[in-house]
């Protein structure tokens, strides 16, 4: 699994991707994603944070289809 953290940096801006990597490594652990989401909320005052879980190993995944299409 890969985890992408979405949210807003302020209420006037639309939702956007806040974090996909830590120290140049993809977020592959849900607990780590939850800790990062908490840090974004508490330290950086981000709001409406959600964690998207992507399973690139699932054969019918649209994400995998997309990745194969660009290779």
């Amino acid at each position: 699994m890969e985890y992408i953290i979405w949210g807003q940096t302020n209420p006037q801006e639309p939702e956007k991707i806040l974090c996909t990597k830590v120290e140049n490594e993809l977020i592959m652990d849900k607990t780590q994603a939850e800790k990062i989401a908490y840090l974004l909320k508490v330290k950086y005052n981000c709001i409406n944070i959600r964690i998207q879980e992507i399973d690139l190993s699932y054969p019918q995944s649209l994400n995998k289809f997309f990745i194969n299409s660009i290779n």
Side-chain angles (χ1 to χ4, degrees), residues 28-71:
M28 304 296 284
D29 179 72
K30 188 170 186 173
T31 302
Q32 181 186 27
E34 290 167 346
K35 288 178 183 178
I36 295 165
Y38 178 79
L39 181 66
L40 288 167
K41 179 181 177 182
V42 173
K43 187 171 182 179
Y44 298 102
N45 299 314
C46 295
I47 57 173
N48 298 323
I49 296 171
R50 67 183 177 92
I51 298 171
Q52 179 182 15
E53 184 177 283
I54 300 174
D55 183 357
L56 296 177
S57 66
Y58 185 67
Q60 302 302 319
S61 171
L62 291 176
N63 300 308
K64 188 171 184 177
F65 176 75
F66 173 74
I67 287 173
N68 289 336
S69 73
I70 60 174
N71 286 335

Side-chain angles (χ1 to χ4, degrees), residues 18-35:
L18 299 176
C19 187
T20 60
K21 296 180 179 181
V22 174
E23 296 179 356
N24 214 27
E25 295 287 326
L26 293 172
I27 302 168
M28 304 296 284
D29 179 72
K30 188 170 186 173
T31 302
Q32 181 186 27
E34 290 167 346
K35 288 178 183 178

